[in-house]
Amino acid sequence: MPEPFVKHTGTAVALLRDHIDTDQIIPSREMKTVSRKGLADGLFAGWRYAEPGGRHPNPDFALNAQKAHGASVLVTGKNFGCGSSREHAVWALAEYGFRAIIAESFNSIFHGNCLRNGILPITLDDQHALEGPTWTGGETVTIDLPTQTVAISCLPEWVGRFAIDDYPKRLLLEGLDPIGLTLQSSDLLDAFEARDREARPWVYADYSAAKAD
Amino acid sequence: MATYFDHLWAEHRIAAADSVYDLIAIDRVLLHERTGSVALSALAEKGYNVRDPSRAFAIMDHIVSFREGRGRDEARSPGGDAFITQTRAMAKAAGIHLIDTDDPAQGIVHVAAPEQGIALPGLTLVCPDSHTCSLGALGALAWGIGSSEAEHALATGCLRVKKPEQIRVQIDGALEEGVTAKDLTLYLISEYGASGGRRAAVEFCGTAVAALSIEERLTLCNMAAEFGAFTAIIKPDAKTLAYVRGRPFAPSELSALSSLTRIAQTCTDDRSRVIAVNASEVRPRITWGTSPEDAVPLDGNVPAHAEAKRLDYMGLSGGQAIKGLAIQGVFIGSCTNGRLSDLQAAASVLKGRRLAPGVRGVCVPGSWAVRREAEALGLDEIFRHAGFEWGAPGCAMCFYAGGETFPPGSRVVSSTNRNFEGRQGPGVRTHLASPAVVAASAVAGVIAAPSDLPSLSEVA
């Protein structure tokens, strides 16, 4: 299970573009093994390295700047994580060290993948606040999940707020095992299935086996 | 009154998980080899079993080689065979259905699942693949998930989900000759943006949708992923029932699906959020940039003030005409446009013609069933005669799974769904279009419409 997320203070790095897709976050060619591990090197590989498949840093990419060293909070635009459902994108971000992403909006599958891997996806109630600071990278961001607030070093008077539903909040705060949690309701699942088998028997019959006989 | 989506949601709602989330029963779980072995291994490591293996399917499609005569474990990249062999082993150990690389039923999940009757009206169906929304075309409640959610669905038979907002996309009027479902979806995404779907359940309604074939509906719903929707759905009708009849995994007797279809037709289309499209105003479209929302009419221009990063990657200038751009490659295939009618549309343009010099053409039928039907109709001869490679089914040429592809910097017109940077290979510049426009461009050697080609009698 991922490390619980309660309060986090870390360095921010900004990639201020819209529609950053999961092919950019982790190119398919970087998904070399059947494991969830070993993906951090491939994070943003197409932008981060000077040559495709190479490992020489591209000095123009924000993540390679000295002040972005050790960054753990990513600040970005709308529809972040669009495209492929590959959870490898989130595994790569998590392994690199990211704990939170502040975006104007998220792709829905990517958003769910973040919650399952200890990364807090944040969409601020007041989006305009972030237009104020000029993100140069290296800002310190403090995120408090219980109070659902964000503080940024370059905006000393400002406190950002964000909404999060109870279930994802619990997942992150407690580092819950969602499967274990659901299986606590096994009686409900079994009762539903018994009723449903009566109501929709065609869903449960294995027709291919019958036809093969 | 309930929408069809509301009806399916209520029918599958086991219980409220809390004030916002519901436990929704999942009727079918689909896996592929890219995520299948990860999900099944993780489940086994945690000590969980698959709750109902008879309703779970692993279909090999993502990184399998598209080379004709490929080996059983042949992947596109070195080491890729491990994804195939491990998924096979884990699927067998778990006792779930396996459609292996050499199975006559094998194909891209979203092509094979409808063909095999695995996707059916009224089912909830999930797959760790973003284009699972395609299957909403059959009236299924189908959506893409991550690997962890796939583990949850396999172990518990349900998912904890928040009911999404709903949007009705009302498409009335008739599509003009030469305008396809692909053009409709590119129109929608470019007009309303790549996040215009607002993570909502999008229902396609209207006379233009009713007029589409099931294959065209699959194309329309497929790119709800690029529209930023939770999923897409179309109410089942007589065409849907006719399509599913006799499929291997479909019920032999369709009375339950007939009554579902009647219920669907009585559901309301009313929703607070509506997008209205006049089909007769839609023209063939093509993308110029690196987001599917960067689509313009085929005879249009690159926007004058387009983002520099997108222009740089694509090697274009603002204001430039799209038609006439020299190309080096074309691809026909994918879960968007890899079905028989797509190959027929391309072949009708390619018949008696050849690829322009210097253009590489690849056609990968979406499944073995599509390939067999195409060969029975002699389409393979048309593609081969034109100079196309005729491939074995899979996803690998749509996203870059490794190995040899189009060279960096090459301009490729593709019947696929994503034009992201590097999507079809490092530095490859992908333009998304319908199969007929891909075929016409292949012959012209530049981006072109079928009507731009000299008639065959003139050529002769």
Side-chain angles (χ1 to χ4, degrees), chain B residues 148-414:
Chain B
S148 298
E149 287 285 83
E151 289 172 35
H152 190 285
L154 287 165
T156 67
C158 69
L159 284 176
R160 194 174 294 254
V161 212
K162 184 176 173 176
K163 193 176 179 185
E165 184 195 357
Q166 297 180 57
I167 300 177
R168 168 162 61 119
V169 177
Q170 178 77 24
I171 314 176
D172 290 316
L175 289 173
E176 287 193 0
E177 181 76 25
V179 183
T180 67
K182 179 64 161 287
D183 301 308
L184 254 184
T185 186
L186 288 176
Y187 171 88
L188 186 66
I189 297 163
S190 56
E191 291 294 314
Y192 294 89
S195 49
R198 302 171 57 94
R199 298 167 61 168
V202 169
E203 184 177 333
F204 290 109
C205 306
T207 54
V209 178
L212 295 176
S213 70
I214 296 299
E215 293 195 358
E216 291 170 320
R217 293 179 191 180
L218 285 158
T219 300
L220 182 63
C221 290
N222 174 272
M223 287 189 67
E226 282 64 45
F227 191 44
F230 168 78
T231 191
I233 197 163
I234 295 173
K235 286 178 193 170
D237 59 12
K239 279 184 191 173
T240 322
L241 287 180
Y243 178 90
V244 302
R245 190 180 304 279
R247 305 270 170 190
F249 287 92
S252 317
E253 206 273 312
L254 292 183
S255 59
L257 294 181
S258 299
S259 56
L260 176 74
T261 299
R262 281 193 297 277
I263 292 167
Q265 297 303 327
T266 64
C267 287
T268 181
D269 292 342
D270 286 348
R271 284 173 183 80
S272 55
R273 195 175 290 277
V274 179
I275 291 174
V277 175
N278 181 350
S280 66
E281 289 176 2
V282 177
R283 298 284 171 270
R285 291 223 160 200
I286 188 163
T287 62
W288 61 266
T290 57
S291 164
E293 72 179 17
D294 300 335
V296 291
L298 183 58
D299 51 11
N301 300 320
V302 177
H305 303 292
E307 187 194 14
K309 191 167 180 0
R310 299 187 196 192
L311 291 174
D312 286 349
Y313 182 82
M314 294 300 290
L316 296 171
S317 321
Q320 198 172 357
I322 304 276
K323 266 193 182 177
L325 287 172
I327 62 165
Q328 291 76 43
V330 293
F331 174 67
I332 293 168
S334 84
C335 58
T336 312
N337 282 128
R339 299 181 182 82
L340 185 66
S341 55
D342 301 313
L343 271 52
Q344 286 173 311
S348 72
V349 175
L350 292 173
K351 191 171 186 181
R353 297 184 165 116
R354 288 179 187 277
L355 282 169
V359 176
R360 180 187 179 194
V362 180
C363 177
V364 176
S367 69
W368 285 114
V370 170
R371 194 178 136 117
R372 285 190 299 270
E373 287 176 78
E375 290 178 350
L377 295 170
L379 304 187
D380 57 321
E381 284 307 313
I382 296 174
F383 280 101
R384 287 184 207 272
H385 177 265
F388 272 74
E389 294 159 53
W390 180 246
C395 310
M397 279 303 277
C398 169
F399 77 96
Y400 179 57
E404 171 264 339
T405 178
F406 299 104
S410 58
R411 193 173 299 288
V412 175
V413 190
S414 184

Side-chain angles (χ1 to χ4, degrees), chain A residues 41-202:
Chain A
D41 273 358
L43 180 70
F44 292 116
W47 293 344
R48 187 169 151 202
Y49 304 118
E51 296 290 329
R55 287 292 185 259
H56 292 292
N58 165 15
D60 298 332
F61 186 56
L63 219 57
N64 291 331
Q66 188 62 40
K67 48 195 170 187
H69 184 75
S72 58
V73 179
L74 183 63
V75 181
T76 186
K78 70 178 175 191
N79 202 24
F80 186 74
C82 62
S84 162
S85 65
R86 58 185 71 159
E87 198 161 318
H88 306 69
V90 172
W91 297 334
L93 286 161
E95 192 176 279
Y96 184 89
F98 283 106
R99 298 297 327 267
I101 303 168
I102 303 175
E104 196 179 325
S105 64
F106 292 89
N107 168 272
S108 64
I109 302 175
F110 180 87
H111 188 269
N113 288 342
C114 283
L115 300 172
R116 292 307 204 90
N117 290 280
I119 291 185
L120 172 59
I122 295 174
T123 296
L124 291 167
D125 295 345
D126 179 7
Q127 300 271 0
H128 299 298
L130 285 190
E131 292 167 7
T134 309
W135 291 97
T136 56
E139 287 83 0
T140 299
V141 177
T142 297
I143 297 157
D144 188 77
L145 180 54
T147 60
Q148 297 173 211
T149 55
V150 177
I152 304 174
S153 57
C154 59
L155 286 175
E157 303 300 314
W158 177 82
V159 176
R161 299 191 180 279
F162 62 92
I164 184 169
D165 289 325
D166 287 346
Y167 169 63
K169 189 172 179 176
R170 272 189 71 201
L171 270 188
L172 289 165
L173 280 175
E174 301 171 34
L176 279 179
D177 167 20
I179 297 176
L181 180 70
T182 300
L183 290 178
Q184 287 172 15
S185 307
S186 281
D187 291 352
L188 275 176
L189 307 184
D190 294 344
F192 175 89
E193 186 175 321
R195 284 198 312 276
D196 197 40
R197 280 180 181 273
E198 295 282 324
R200 302 187 309 144
W202 63 275

Side-chain angles (χ1 to χ4, degrees), chain B residues 409-423:
Chain B
S410 58
R411 193 173 299 288
V412 175
V413 190
S414 184
S415 75
T416 57
N417 44 53
R418 288 181 180 146
N419 51 352
F420 300 153
E421 285 186 30
R423 175 72 178 177

